Amino acid sequence: MNALAQLVVTGMWIALTGAVQTKGFSVVSVVQNHFAETTMRSEVLNDKNTTQQVKFHIMLPNEAFISGFRITIDGKTYEAAVEEKAAAKKKFQKARERGQTAGLVETREKAEKIFSTDVNVGAYTTVTFELVYQQILRSVGGRYTEKIILFGDSLSELLMVDVYIQERNTIINLDVPPILLNGGGGSIDAGSTTHVHGNTARVSFAGNNALTNPALARGGVFSVSYELEKRHTSGDVIVDNGYFMYFGPDIPIRPRRLIFCLDDSGSMVGHKMWQVKEAMYNILDKLLPEDKIGVMKFSTSTRSWDDSMRDASQDNIRSAKSFVRGPDEQDSTAIWKALHQAIQIMSAEDDRLNQERNTEDSLIILLSDGRGNLSPEILLNNVNKMNRKRYTVHTISFGNGADDQMLKQIARDNHGRWKKILSDLDAALQIENYVDELRSGINSSLVDSIKYPEVVEEVLHVKNNGELLTIGRLRDDLSSYQEGPHEIVFDSDGALPQSTTITTSFYLDQANDIREKMESKRIDRFVQKAFAMTKIEKILDDMHSTKDPEEKALLKQKAINISLEFHLVTPVTSLLVVKPDDDKISTKSAQQPVLDTPKTEVPASMTNPSAPASAARPRWSFHSDPHFIARLTEDITVCFNWVGRPNEIVNLLHDYDNSIIINGLITGTGQDRTPTARLFVTKLAIILPEEDVRLQIDCDFISISNLNPSDPGAYSLNISLHETDRRSYEFGIVKIHLPEIRKHHIIINLRIRKLLFVVEVQYSNGRPNSRNHLDFIVPNYSSEKVGGVFGHLQLTDDGDDKARIVTDEKRSEVFLLYNGDKIKVRRSSMKLPYLPARVNCWLAKGHLQHLFGERLRSFKLHSLWDIPNGVRAEYT
């Protein structure tokens, strides 16, 4: 058996190196309602008398996440645990130093979806490795494709591949095309077997085929492609365990303007340039006649197929292909010149039509394997200054020599996406599929046209998908809602010729219709996992976009928490597995998720008193109608619902050291005026007495004044949340950043001096029991001289005179002893506004009087700009 064998599964490349023998290799891919889970299983024998190291290099699809890794030795299986990246690497290095069998899966610096794994295999030991990853399959041209990329000569004799598909609708036109050989070697018959029955299918492939063995030495792509029969023009909804996926109606691909900028510098000569040309021929063939196109090559100079954009007619497509096929310059890499000319051509087209097109309809797609002849700072500044985000710029890093960080930043600054493609794999197919996704992406205005029912808490859009797909989370407490039907309404606003308003209904108890024979192949919690993956991608995008160190740290911790909860390898986490040495090392030594999962019934203080606090667990927060959460100690978190009457004004925080006062207006829905009515915080007033600055935030505006408090003059700065497209504002010591502006919610990061506050504006879906409101998060706070509702709930040391949980065994009651008060509490949990996990807490029973005592009266104010009595003298 060869010392080197390689396999790539849906973009996954595993290289086994060292003095080992590969005894078996199998791949099982399960696709359930567009969500794919792929398991790779390899059996390796180390026939030497010393420990050998096995290296894995794994390239995943850009949307995929590794979710499992296990090692089986002598019949005993060791599961990998997801840990924060630095901690996992440190433990792995210690295990290697001790000569233990260990495995580590982590991201590589230059490409977020390329992973590496080092595994130590003991002498004369047979080890079985299993690696699992998951992804949402993307629709391209109405077809879903699962690709399996194969490399390695002797390994092909051992290879077994099974693909199981179960969809909600009937599977039609399933196709297993010939294996596309790498490097332009043509194709061969896959020799697979296929069974399709209604909405299920199975495809099997065995590598021990006399025809495929020699050919696969060069590598190739095995793929399964299929379409779905639409049962309803209204689309479909899948509900599972409190989460849902909404597949909207078919939306025709609309015409686009596309300019392709192709690097033909000296480093592209040979196989790489051949792959680019091969991809471009297929891309040009698939353009719509109504598309407008431009093509250019660049190295030291830039050569265009035409100085203006042309229709994608058959004659023009032939001409563009001839230009692509033509000679290459093979000199240096002038990226700025190419983008400059592309933006000029787009702008000239706008001038000719006397209009400005939607940025999502105007695409510049740049491919390069070089680093450019300008510094990254100058190039980025030039592009951003000239483009002003009018046109979407997508970038492709081709091979290992490209400046990934610069190309990634160009895309992020200009509404685009970045893609890493390695030239030694199926590069032509990867480029072609990537451009197909960009062309068929759904316009964000269509996503904003979807109206969700009141039972929906949060919605995420799966970007650049060839279909209208959103994934959402239902409310935590659904007991007050009927089973249904609940309606999702899509107002196409003329985008769809067959209808302007399309309604899809679902029930809360809706279950997936899985055939009996597919039960053993079900993916557990797949909708919830799809939601978590989409959420992580969004958080990581926000993290890379912000320049605020504290905000970046907060977002990073959010991504870590979700990654830990769902056991996902992401750019901020790693998988670690260590074989215990004489049972001295626990296989469960991995760090537990900072936030307990919904299955946990007991607060963290009961199960792990010494658990470290997380930066992502806020010190104080409130959300929804409103639920308050506060950390009293590192181990004790208290939560309570605000019970009062509409139109109360409450002092939330006054900070003597930092001279900040924060008040909130609590408003009802207008449906009920009793103390048990649903209440929401709808306005925040922030007073900075030392600077005479007032800041007001509601669901429509942010207003700032720098006037004397006795002067009721106009505000100096008004920001309309419905009209602004700016992301950052600065007003003296106040800095405002809007990392997310969407129809249904807006996130506001507010920095005052060195303090960070997060406000999330939540917009109502129009139901009677809801209204527009504000959520509020205080991530960390250093000052101790504080008052108000939050100030009363101070983070204290764990001493007997501070906060304690005690149990009255006789009456089976639990009490919180805090600040001399004895408050009856019970175990509970509440949602944080930005995490899918619940926070375990002690819920204060009864009225607020039981929690705050006589202090409650001092928290209530007469006006939004009132200063509490206890601190008025401090500032007058």
Side-chain angles (χ1 to χ4, degrees), residues 7 86 103 135 192 248 493 502 507 534 584 648 677 753 821 853-854:
L7 173 73
Q135 70 177 117
S192 59
D493 194 23
I502 297 173
Y507 292 82
T534 309
K584 293 179 181 179
E648 288 184 332
R753 302 185 188 92
D821 296 325
E854 292 301 319

Side-chain angles (χ1 to χ4, degrees), residues 268-326:
M268 287 287 296
V269 66
H271 187 59
K272 284 198 287 188
M273 199 64 212
W274 177 90
Q275 290 174 310
V276 172
K277 292 181 178 183
E278 189 73 16
M280 282 301 303
Y281 301 152
N282 294 330
I283 290 168
L284 291 170
D285 279 337
K286 289 188 286 188
L287 295 178
L288 300 174
E290 299 83 6
D291 286 335
K292 295 274 191 176
I293 59 169
V295 185
M296 67 176 63
K297 296 181 183 180
F298 67 92
S299 53
T300 302
S301 62
T302 302
R303 290 96 57 218
S304 292
W305 166 55
D306 196 286
D307 291 334
S308 61
M309 306 199 73
R310 294 195 199 178
D311 295 329
S313 65
Q314 290 188 2
D315 288 343
N316 285 339
I317 293 299
R318 281 193 293 269
S319 175
K321 284 183 179 180
S322 177
F323 173 78
V324 171
R325 193 180 300 114

Side-chain angles (χ1 to χ4, degrees), residues 107 248 384 447 453 524 542 574 647 662 667-668 692 695 742 756 798 862:
T107 63
N384 296 340
V447 179
D524 182 45
D542 292 343
S574 299
N647 301 319
I662 302 178
T667 310
D692 286 345
L695 172 68
R742 294 186 63 82
L756 175 65
D798 295 354
H862 296 293

